[in-house]
Amino acid sequence: MARTVGVDLGGTNISTIVLDEDDAVLGASKLKTPTTGDRTGVVEVIGAGVYAALDEADARLEDIHAVGVGTPGVVVDGTVGGAANVPGFLERFSLAQMVTEHLGKPVRIINDVTAAAVAEHRIGAARGTHDLLCVFVGTGVGGGLVLDDRPYEGGRGGAGEFGHMVVRQGGAVCPCGRRGCIEAYAGRRAMVLAAERAVVAGGSTVLFDCMEEKGKERATSGVFLAALERGDTLVADLLDEAIEALGAGIASAVNLLDVDAVVIGGGLADKLGEKFRYRVDAAMRPHLFLHPPRVELLAATLGDHAGAIGAGILAREHA
Ligand SMILES: [Zn+2]
């Protein structure tokens, strides 16, 4: 009865799942990530999430032999740093040690998007491939790599930053402060800023009306879809640019790495569905170098659970 726990620590939620030895999900929990306080408070909520998921799985802590935690930020040897959206995670510290002390179990820490890539590789859309790039289009644009069947994290944990590949030199300002990154065109946060600038310059859009009508404080992926469905040309133009940037960026990554598959997921990709995947595929093709091109662009299949599942799988494999 070997069980493994996987945790996906996000800026908004902490999702936790309990996996059996065949990677079936036995139980899950979702708690709010603290927005104030320090890292001790975050680790306490991680612990509470583990107990809640175990409860749902009808399992106990004694049944668990390892815990995996997917976290935003740059991960090196169980330490994490550089995650601005989780309290206390900007400066580097050993998250593995803190969670181990809290739960008394071996803990494996991995970047959240890399964890999701592992899940899509082992049991999701890219099952059976050896080399893959995962692209997640949401508030920002994240990337994760599995090369030769193993997660590729780079020498200092910084690999897979797909969103900050430059597709236009001197282009739009990215939330990272640089210019011309893919995220500057395809990240929802950047698209909202572009829409706000367009309105100030006299343009019109129903994006912010849709946001109010849906009672949202932010322009979520669902708000974007609603604006598109109402024929909003400004949002349609922003989406065209996003798709062009993703197509060029994905093709560049494929030209560099010759991966078997690219999995595309995240809030915006999931909401816009097959049409979005098809359009990104069409935008990618003209930039591919290898002929005939053999790469496949696939839709992610594991949704919100991917990060937690991938972290759990890695924790078991390295326990
Ligand atoms: Zn950037």
Side-chain angles (χ1 to χ4, degrees), residues 2-7 17 19 50 61-69 103-108 311-319:
R3 306 278 190 252
T4 313
V5 167
V7 181
I17 48 104
L19 289 178
V50 169
L61 197 59
E62 296 89 275
D63 304 328
I64 300 302
H65 62 109
V67 176
V69 182
L103 291 170
K105 298 286 168 184
V107 174
R108 158 110 185 186
I313 289 173
L314 280 170
R316 187 186 51 235
E317 289 180 357
H318 295 269

PDB file of all heavy atoms in Angstrom, residues 2-7 17 19 50 61-69 103-108 311-319:
ATOM      1  N   ALA A   2       1.837   1.265  -0.890  1.00  0.00           N
ATOM      2  CA  ALA A   2       2.702   2.445  -0.953  1.00  0.00           C
ATOM      3  C   ALA A   2       1.940   3.614  -1.573  1.00  0.00           C
ATOM      4  O   ALA A   2       1.439   3.514  -2.678  1.00  0.00           O
ATOM      5  CB  ALA A   2       3.934   2.138  -1.782  1.00  0.00           C
ATOM      6  N   ARG A   3       1.840   4.667  -0.822  1.00  0.00           N
ATOM      7  CA  ARG A   3       1.161   5.865  -1.300  1.00  0.00           C
ATOM      8  C   ARG A   3       2.157   7.004  -1.392  1.00  0.00           C
ATOM      9  O   ARG A   3       3.142   7.030  -0.661  1.00  0.00           O
ATOM     10  CB  ARG A   3       0.050   6.271  -0.330  1.00  0.00           C
ATOM     11  CG  ARG A   3      -0.941   5.164  -0.018  1.00  0.00           C
ATOM     12  CD  ARG A   3      -1.985   5.066  -1.107  1.00  0.00           C
ATOM     13  NE  ARG A   3      -3.074   4.197  -0.736  1.00  0.00           N
ATOM     14  CZ  ARG A   3      -3.270   2.979  -1.270  1.00  0.00           C
ATOM     15  NH1 ARG A   3      -2.414   2.496  -2.147  1.00  0.00           N
ATOM     16  NH2 ARG A   3      -4.302   2.259  -0.910  1.00  0.00           N
ATOM     17  N   THR A   4       1.877   7.922  -2.303  1.00  0.00           N
ATOM     18  CA  THR A   4       2.722   9.091  -2.440  1.00  0.00           C
ATOM     19  C   THR A   4       1.836  10.323  -2.438  1.00  0.00           C
ATOM     20  O   THR A   4       0.716  10.278  -2.929  1.00  0.00           O
ATOM     21  CB  THR A   4       3.501   9.048  -3.764  1.00  0.00           C
ATOM     22  OG1 THR A   4       4.070   7.761  -3.914  1.00  0.00           O
ATOM     23  CG2 THR A   4       4.605  10.076  -3.788  1.00  0.00           C
ATOM     24  N   VAL A   5       2.360  11.403  -1.878  1.00  0.00           N
ATOM     25  CA  VAL A   5       1.608  12.657  -1.881  1.00  0.00           C
ATOM     26  C   VAL A   5       2.297  13.651  -2.814  1.00  0.00           C
ATOM     27  O   VAL A   5       3.523  13.765  -2.822  1.00  0.00           O
ATOM     28  CB  VAL A   5       1.508  13.236  -0.448  1.00  0.00           C
ATOM     29  CG1 VAL A   5       1.005  14.675  -0.492  1.00  0.00           C
ATOM     30  CG2 VAL A   5       0.578  12.391   0.400  1.00  0.00           C
ATOM     31  N   GLY A   6       1.504  14.341  -3.627  1.00  0.00           N
ATOM     32  CA  GLY A   6       2.013  15.404  -4.487  1.00  0.00           C
ATOM     33  C   GLY A   6       1.316  16.705  -4.145  1.00  0.00           C
ATOM     34  O   GLY A   6       0.100  16.739  -3.947  1.00  0.00           O
ATOM     35  N   VAL A   7       2.108  17.768  -4.039  1.00  0.00           N
ATOM     36  CA  VAL A   7       1.571  19.086  -3.689  1.00  0.00           C
ATOM     37  C   VAL A   7       1.917  20.061  -4.804  1.00  0.00           C
ATOM     38  O   VAL A   7       3.038  20.058  -5.302  1.00  0.00           O
ATOM     39  CB  VAL A   7       2.194  19.597  -2.362  1.00  0.00           C
ATOM     40  CG1 VAL A   7       1.628  20.958  -1.989  1.00  0.00           C
ATOM     41  CG2 VAL A   7       1.983  18.591  -1.239  1.00  0.00           C
ATOM     42  N   ILE A  17      -2.638  15.973  -3.781  1.00  0.00           N
ATOM     43  CA  ILE A  17      -3.271  14.714  -4.180  1.00  0.00           C
ATOM     44  C   ILE A  17      -2.519  13.548  -3.531  1.00  0.00           C
ATOM     45  O   ILE A  17      -1.350  13.649  -3.199  1.00  0.00           O
ATOM     46  CB  ILE A  17      -3.304  14.511  -5.716  1.00  0.00           C
ATOM     47  CG1 ILE A  17      -1.931  14.791  -6.325  1.00  0.00           C
ATOM     48  CG2 ILE A  17      -4.319  15.418  -6.400  1.00  0.00           C
ATOM     49  CD1 ILE A  17      -1.183  13.621  -6.705  1.00  0.00           C
ATOM     50  N   LEU A  19      -1.525   9.674  -4.416  1.00  0.00           N
ATOM     51  CA  LEU A  19      -1.426   8.741  -5.541  1.00  0.00           C
ATOM     52  C   LEU A  19      -1.190   7.324  -5.033  1.00  0.00           C
ATOM     53  O   LEU A  19      -0.474   7.134  -4.043  1.00  0.00           O
ATOM     54  CB  LEU A  19      -0.228   9.093  -6.432  1.00  0.00           C
ATOM     55  CG  LEU A  19      -0.248  10.345  -7.297  1.00  0.00           C
ATOM     56  CD1 LEU A  19       1.081  10.452  -8.033  1.00  0.00           C
ATOM     57  CD2 LEU A  19      -1.409  10.325  -8.274  1.00  0.00           C
ATOM     58  N   VAL A  50      -1.973  18.276   3.089  1.00  0.00           N
ATOM     59  CA  VAL A  50      -1.587  16.856   3.034  1.00  0.00           C
ATOM     60  C   VAL A  50      -2.551  16.033   3.891  1.00  0.00           C
ATOM     61  O   VAL A  50      -3.085  15.009   3.444  1.00  0.00           O
ATOM     62  CB  VAL A  50      -0.124  16.660   3.513  1.00  0.00           C
ATOM     63  CG1 VAL A  50       0.195  15.171   3.707  1.00  0.00           C
ATOM     64  CG2 VAL A  50       0.850  17.297   2.520  1.00  0.00           C
ATOM     65  N   LEU A  61      -0.812   9.172   7.447  1.00  0.00           N
ATOM     66  CA  LEU A  61       0.553   9.618   7.159  1.00  0.00           C
ATOM     67  C   LEU A  61       1.520   8.432   7.127  1.00  0.00           C
ATOM     68  O   LEU A  61       2.472   8.413   6.354  1.00  0.00           O
ATOM     69  CB  LEU A  61       0.987  10.656   8.201  1.00  0.00           C
ATOM     70  CG  LEU A  61       2.209  11.519   7.842  1.00  0.00           C
ATOM     71  CD1 LEU A  61       1.985  12.304   6.558  1.00  0.00           C
ATOM     72  CD2 LEU A  61       2.549  12.466   8.977  1.00  0.00           C
ATOM     73  N   GLU A  62       1.248   7.389   7.940  1.00  0.00           N
ATOM     74  CA  GLU A  62       2.122   6.211   7.966  1.00  0.00           C
ATOM     75  C   GLU A  62       2.135   5.473   6.631  1.00  0.00           C
ATOM     76  O   GLU A  62       3.075   4.746   6.332  1.00  0.00           O
ATOM     77  CB  GLU A  62       1.675   5.229   9.063  1.00  0.00           C
ATOM     78  CG  GLU A  62       1.771   5.770  10.474  1.00  0.00           C
ATOM     79  CD  GLU A  62       0.483   6.477  10.893  1.00  0.00           C
ATOM     80  OE1 GLU A  62       0.367   7.677  10.562  1.00  0.00           O
ATOM     81  OE2 GLU A  62      -0.370   5.867  11.523  1.00  0.00           O
ATOM     82  N   ASP A  63       1.062   5.628   5.837  1.00  0.00           N
ATOM     83  CA  ASP A  63       0.990   4.933   4.540  1.00  0.00           C
ATOM     84  C   ASP A  63       1.849   5.610   3.474  1.00  0.00           C
ATOM     85  O   ASP A  63       2.032   5.087   2.381  1.00  0.00           O
ATOM     86  CB  ASP A  63      -0.462   4.918   4.011  1.00  0.00           C
ATOM     87  CG  ASP A  63      -1.427   4.290   5.005  1.00  0.00           C
ATOM     88  OD1 ASP A  63      -0.986   3.376   5.730  1.00  0.00           O
ATOM     89  OD2 ASP A  63      -2.589   4.716   5.044  1.00  0.00           O
ATOM     90  N   ILE A  64       2.343   6.802   3.784  1.00  0.00           N
ATOM     91  CA  ILE A  64       3.039   7.627   2.790  1.00  0.00           C
ATOM     92  C   ILE A  64       4.535   7.445   2.911  1.00  0.00           C
ATOM     93  O   ILE A  64       5.071   7.498   4.018  1.00  0.00           O
ATOM     94  CB  ILE A  64       2.717   9.124   3.055  1.00  0.00           C
ATOM     95  CG1 ILE A  64       1.218   9.372   2.947  1.00  0.00           C
ATOM     96  CG2 ILE A  64       3.497  10.038   2.123  1.00  0.00           C
ATOM     97  CD1 ILE A  64       0.634   9.003   1.622  1.00  0.00           C
ATOM     98  N   HIS A  65       5.209   7.206   1.795  1.00  0.00           N
ATOM     99  CA  HIS A  65       6.660   7.104   1.934  1.00  0.00           C
ATOM    100  C   HIS A  65       7.421   8.285   1.359  1.00  0.00           C
ATOM    101  O   HIS A  65       8.612   8.416   1.602  1.00  0.00           O
ATOM    102  CB  HIS A  65       7.186   5.770   1.390  1.00  0.00           C
ATOM    103  CG  HIS A  65       6.945   5.565  -0.052  1.00  0.00           C
ATOM    104  ND1 HIS A  65       7.954   5.595  -0.968  1.00  0.00           N
ATOM    105  CD2 HIS A  65       5.810   5.335  -0.746  1.00  0.00           C
ATOM    106  CE1 HIS A  65       7.446   5.372  -2.163  1.00  0.00           C
ATOM    107  NE2 HIS A  65       6.157   5.217  -2.056  1.00  0.00           N
ATOM    108  N   ALA A  66       6.747   9.155   0.620  1.00  0.00           N
ATOM    109  CA  ALA A  66       7.441  10.352   0.145  1.00  0.00           C
ATOM    110  C   ALA A  66       6.436  11.428  -0.229  1.00  0.00           C
ATOM    111  O   ALA A  66       5.280  11.138  -0.539  1.00  0.00           O
ATOM    112  CB  ALA A  66       8.317  10.022  -1.056  1.00  0.00           C
ATOM    113  N   VAL A  67       6.902  12.655  -0.186  1.00  0.00           N
ATOM    114  CA  VAL A  67       6.070  13.804  -0.556  1.00  0.00           C
ATOM    115  C   VAL A  67       6.823  14.611  -1.620  1.00  0.00           C
ATOM    116  O   VAL A  67       8.013  14.878  -1.473  1.00  0.00           O
ATOM    117  CB  VAL A  67       5.794  14.712   0.669  1.00  0.00           C
ATOM    118  CG1 VAL A  67       5.005  15.949   0.264  1.00  0.00           C
ATOM    119  CG2 VAL A  67       5.047  13.935   1.752  1.00  0.00           C
ATOM    120  N   GLY A  68       6.119  14.966  -2.679  1.00  0.00           N
ATOM    121  CA  GLY A  68       6.701  15.838  -3.700  1.00  0.00           C
ATOM    122  C   GLY A  68       6.004  17.185  -3.665  1.00  0.00           C
ATOM    123  O   GLY A  68       4.791  17.249  -3.502  1.00  0.00           O
ATOM    124  N   VAL A  69       6.776  18.253  -3.798  1.00  0.00           N
ATOM    125  CA  VAL A  69       6.170  19.586  -3.803  1.00  0.00           C
ATOM    126  C   VAL A  69       6.608  20.345  -5.046  1.00  0.00           C
ATOM    127  O   VAL A  69       7.806  20.568  -5.264  1.00  0.00           O
ATOM    128  CB  VAL A  69       6.571  20.408  -2.546  1.00  0.00           C
ATOM    129  CG1 VAL A  69       5.874  21.775  -2.565  1.00  0.00           C
ATOM    130  CG2 VAL A  69       6.225  19.663  -1.271  1.00  0.00           C
ATOM    131  N   LEU A 103       6.515  17.219   8.377  1.00  0.00           N
ATOM    132  CA  LEU A 103       5.752  15.985   8.147  1.00  0.00           C
ATOM    133  C   LEU A 103       6.517  14.709   8.496  1.00  0.00           C
ATOM    134  O   LEU A 103       5.929  13.624   8.570  1.00  0.00           O
ATOM    135  CB  LEU A 103       5.299  15.907   6.676  1.00  0.00           C
ATOM    136  CG  LEU A 103       4.240  16.927   6.235  1.00  0.00           C
ATOM    137  CD1 LEU A 103       4.080  16.899   4.721  1.00  0.00           C
ATOM    138  CD2 LEU A 103       2.896  16.654   6.913  1.00  0.00           C
ATOM    139  N   GLY A 104       7.837  14.817   8.648  1.00  0.00           N
ATOM    140  CA  GLY A 104       8.643  13.636   8.974  1.00  0.00           C
ATOM    141  C   GLY A 104       8.752  12.647   7.835  1.00  0.00           C
ATOM    142  O   GLY A 104       8.843  11.435   8.061  1.00  0.00           O
ATOM    143  N   LYS A 105       8.713  13.143   6.599  1.00  0.00           N
ATOM    144  CA  LYS A 105       8.815  12.280   5.414  1.00  0.00           C
ATOM    145  C   LYS A 105       9.882  12.831   4.469  1.00  0.00           C
ATOM    146  O   LYS A 105      10.135  14.032   4.466  1.00  0.00           O
ATOM    147  CB  LYS A 105       7.468  12.258   4.655  1.00  0.00           C
ATOM    148  CG  LYS A 105       6.316  11.694   5.438  1.00  0.00           C
ATOM    149  CD  LYS A 105       6.422  10.181   5.541  1.00  0.00           C
ATOM    150  CE  LYS A 105       5.435   9.647   6.571  1.00  0.00           C
ATOM    151  NZ  LYS A 105       5.577   8.204   6.755  1.00  0.00           N
ATOM    152  N   PRO A 106      10.477  11.948   3.645  1.00  0.00           N
ATOM    153  CA  PRO A 106      11.377  12.467   2.617  1.00  0.00           C
ATOM    154  C   PRO A 106      10.589  13.361   1.656  1.00  0.00           C
ATOM    155  O   PRO A 106       9.454  13.035   1.299  1.00  0.00           O
ATOM    156  CB  PRO A 106      11.857  11.213   1.877  1.00  0.00           C
ATOM    157  CG  PRO A 106      11.465  10.059   2.709  1.00  0.00           C
ATOM    158  CD  PRO A 106      10.328  10.495   3.588  1.00  0.00           C
ATOM    159  N   VAL A 107      11.183  14.483   1.268  1.00  0.00           N
ATOM    160  CA  VAL A 107      10.474  15.450   0.420  1.00  0.00           C
ATOM    161  C   VAL A 107      11.306  15.781  -0.811  1.00  0.00           C
ATOM    162  O   VAL A 107      12.508  15.999  -0.710  1.00  0.00           O
ATOM    163  CB  VAL A 107      10.185  16.749   1.217  1.00  0.00           C
ATOM    164  CG1 VAL A 107       9.592  17.817   0.312  1.00  0.00           C
ATOM    165  CG2 VAL A 107       9.224  16.462   2.366  1.00  0.00           C
ATOM    166  N   ARG A 108      10.668  15.767  -1.947  1.00  0.00           N
ATOM    167  CA  ARG A 108      11.329  16.173  -3.195  1.00  0.00           C
ATOM    168  C   ARG A 108      10.681  17.472  -3.682  1.00  0.00           C
ATOM    169  O   ARG A 108       9.465  17.563  -3.794  1.00  0.00           O
ATOM    170  CB  ARG A 108      11.164  15.068  -4.237  1.00  0.00           C
ATOM    171  CG  ARG A 108      11.327  15.534  -5.654  1.00  0.00           C
ATOM    172  CD  ARG A 108      12.590  15.030  -6.307  1.00  0.00           C
ATOM    173  NE  ARG A 108      12.695  15.638  -7.629  1.00  0.00           N
ATOM    174  CZ  ARG A 108      13.605  15.334  -8.515  1.00  0.00           C
ATOM    175  NH1 ARG A 108      14.510  14.441  -8.237  1.00  0.00           N
ATOM    176  NH2 ARG A 108      13.640  15.924  -9.673  1.00  0.00           N
ATOM    177  N   ALA A 311       4.593  16.112  -9.209  1.00  0.00           N
ATOM    178  CA  ALA A 311       5.420  16.177  -7.997  1.00  0.00           C
ATOM    179  C   ALA A 311       5.355  14.858  -7.232  1.00  0.00           C
ATOM    180  O   ALA A 311       6.364  14.358  -6.722  1.00  0.00           O
ATOM    181  CB  ALA A 311       4.952  17.333  -7.107  1.00  0.00           C
ATOM    182  N   GLY A 312       4.152  14.262  -7.183  1.00  0.00           N
ATOM    183  CA  GLY A 312       3.984  12.970  -6.502  1.00  0.00           C
ATOM    184  C   GLY A 312       4.756  11.866  -7.199  1.00  0.00           C
ATOM    185  O   GLY A 312       5.423  11.046  -6.557  1.00  0.00           O
ATOM    186  N   ILE A 313       4.672  11.841  -8.532  1.00  0.00           N
ATOM    187  CA  ILE A 313       5.379  10.812  -9.310  1.00  0.00           C
ATOM    188  C   ILE A 313       6.890  10.919  -9.078  1.00  0.00           C
ATOM    189  O   ILE A 313       7.578   9.915  -8.831  1.00  0.00           O
ATOM    190  CB  ILE A 313       5.059  10.945 -10.815  1.00  0.00           C
ATOM    191  CG1 ILE A 313       3.599  10.515 -11.090  1.00  0.00           C
ATOM    192  CG2 ILE A 313       6.029  10.135 -11.658  1.00  0.00           C
ATOM    193  CD1 ILE A 313       3.142  10.775 -12.524  1.00  0.00           C
ATOM    194  N   LEU A 314       7.410  12.150  -9.117  1.00  0.00           N
ATOM    195  CA  LEU A 314       8.852  12.330  -8.929  1.00  0.00           C
ATOM    196  C   LEU A 314       9.285  11.958  -7.519  1.00  0.00           C
ATOM    197  O   LEU A 314      10.356  11.382  -7.316  1.00  0.00           O
ATOM    198  CB  LEU A 314       9.240  13.774  -9.228  1.00  0.00           C
ATOM    199  CG  LEU A 314       9.378  14.069 -10.708  1.00  0.00           C
ATOM    200  CD1 LEU A 314       9.527  15.560 -10.928  1.00  0.00           C
ATOM    201  CD2 LEU A 314      10.574  13.329 -11.310  1.00  0.00           C
ATOM    202  N   ALA A 315       8.446  12.279  -6.540  1.00  0.00           N
ATOM    203  CA  ALA A 315       8.784  11.935  -5.149  1.00  0.00           C
ATOM    204  C   ALA A 315       8.909  10.416  -5.018  1.00  0.00           C
ATOM    205  O   ALA A 315       9.823   9.916  -4.366  1.00  0.00           O
ATOM    206  CB  ALA A 315       7.718  12.452  -4.203  1.00  0.00           C
ATOM    207  N   ARG A 316       8.008   9.676  -5.661  1.00  0.00           N
ATOM    208  CA  ARG A 316       8.077   8.210  -5.573  1.00  0.00           C
ATOM    209  C   ARG A 316       9.308   7.684  -6.279  1.00  0.00           C
ATOM    210  O   ARG A 316      10.012   6.817  -5.784  1.00  0.00           O
ATOM    211  CB  ARG A 316       6.814   7.583  -6.155  1.00  0.00           C
ATOM    212  CG  ARG A 316       6.814   6.070  -5.902  1.00  0.00           C
ATOM    213  CD  ARG A 316       5.683   5.352  -6.572  1.00  0.00           C
ATOM    214  NE  ARG A 316       5.630   5.721  -7.972  1.00  0.00           N
ATOM    215  CZ  ARG A 316       4.545   6.203  -8.543  1.00  0.00           C
ATOM    216  NH1 ARG A 316       3.461   6.392  -7.867  1.00  0.00           N
ATOM    217  NH2 ARG A 316       4.573   6.523  -9.806  1.00  0.00           N
ATOM    218  N   GLU A 317       9.570   8.215  -7.491  1.00  0.00           N
ATOM    219  CA  GLU A 317      10.700   7.705  -8.268  1.00  0.00           C
ATOM    220  C   GLU A 317      12.038   7.978  -7.581  1.00  0.00           C
ATOM    221  O   GLU A 317      12.998   7.271  -7.825  1.00  0.00           O
ATOM    222  CB  GLU A 317      10.686   8.342  -9.665  1.00  0.00           C
ATOM    223  CG  GLU A 317       9.537   7.801 -10.513  1.00  0.00           C
ATOM    224  CD  GLU A 317       9.481   8.409 -11.904  1.00  0.00           C
ATOM    225  OE1 GLU A 317      10.305   9.302 -12.202  1.00  0.00           O
ATOM    226  OE2 GLU A 317       8.607   8.005 -12.673  1.00  0.00           O
ATOM    227  N   HIS A 318      12.080   9.003  -6.742  1.00  0.00           N
ATOM    228  CA  HIS A 318      13.353   9.342  -6.105  1.00  0.00           C
ATOM    229  C   HIS A 318      13.377   9.024  -4.618  1.00  0.00           C
ATOM    230  O   HIS A 318      14.304   9.391  -3.925  1.00  0.00           O
ATOM    231  CB  HIS A 318      13.674  10.823  -6.349  1.00  0.00           C
ATOM    232  CG  HIS A 318      13.907  11.114  -7.784  1.00  0.00           C
ATOM    233  ND1 HIS A 318      15.144  11.066  -8.361  1.00  0.00           N
ATOM    234  CD2 HIS A 318      13.034  11.397  -8.781  1.00  0.00           C
ATOM    235  CE1 HIS A 318      15.036  11.320  -9.655  1.00  0.00           C
ATOM    236  NE2 HIS A 318      13.770  11.533  -9.939  1.00  0.00           N
ATOM    237  N   ALA A 319      12.317   8.340  -4.161  1.00  0.00           N
ATOM    238  CA  ALA A 319      12.260   8.039  -2.708  1.00  0.00           C
ATOM    239  C   ALA A 319      13.262   6.940  -2.376  1.00  0.00           C
ATOM    240  O   ALA A 319      13.587   6.109  -3.189  1.00  0.00           O
ATOM    241  CB  ALA A 319      10.857   7.610  -2.319  1.00  0.00           C
TER     242      ALA A 319
END
